[in-house]
Amino acid sequence: MLKRENELRLSQAVQKRFEEAERSGSKTDWIEVATQVQLEVLKEFNVAESALHAYRCAANKHGLSLYVKY
């Protein structure tokens, strides 16, 4: 799932979403886009959206999240 999330984050479409979010000023920011991407990954893997917190914690706990490590 983390590999898939990374693929999506690096895709042109998601990079554009990050850019648009940051340009929107106070309307939205990158963390909202990241959350949307993570929810898309959970859905793709048939995992309930309510597992988002557990998904984030597991990635952080085991040092697997590229975005936390760097």
Side-chain angles (χ1 to χ4, degrees):
M1 288 174 53
L2 291 169
K3 286 181 181 181
R4 178 62 179 145
E5 179 185 345
N6 194 52
E7 287 174 5
L8 289 173
R9 282 183 183 242
L10 295 175
S11 72
Q12 282 187 316
V14 172
Q15 286 295 306
K16 184 176 180 177
R17 287 165 54 190
F18 280 129
E19 181 181 347
E20 289 171 355
E22 287 301 305
R23 286 188 178 173
S24 72
S26 63
K27 293 180 184 177
T28 187
D29 65 12
W30 70 270
I31 194 68
E32 292 176 34
V33 175
T35 297
Q36 292 169 353
V37 168
Q38 290 172 333
L39 290 171
E40 291 170 22
V41 170
L42 292 178
K43 184 176 180 179
E44 187 175 320
F45 283 83
N46 296 314
V47 177
E49 286 186 7
S50 60
L52 178 61
H53 181 71
Y55 172 72
R56 289 175 170 171
C57 288
N60 294 341
K61 180 180 177 182
H62 298 288
L64 301 173
S65 177
L66 174 67
Y67 305 98
V68 172
K69 285 171 59 174
Y70 300 103

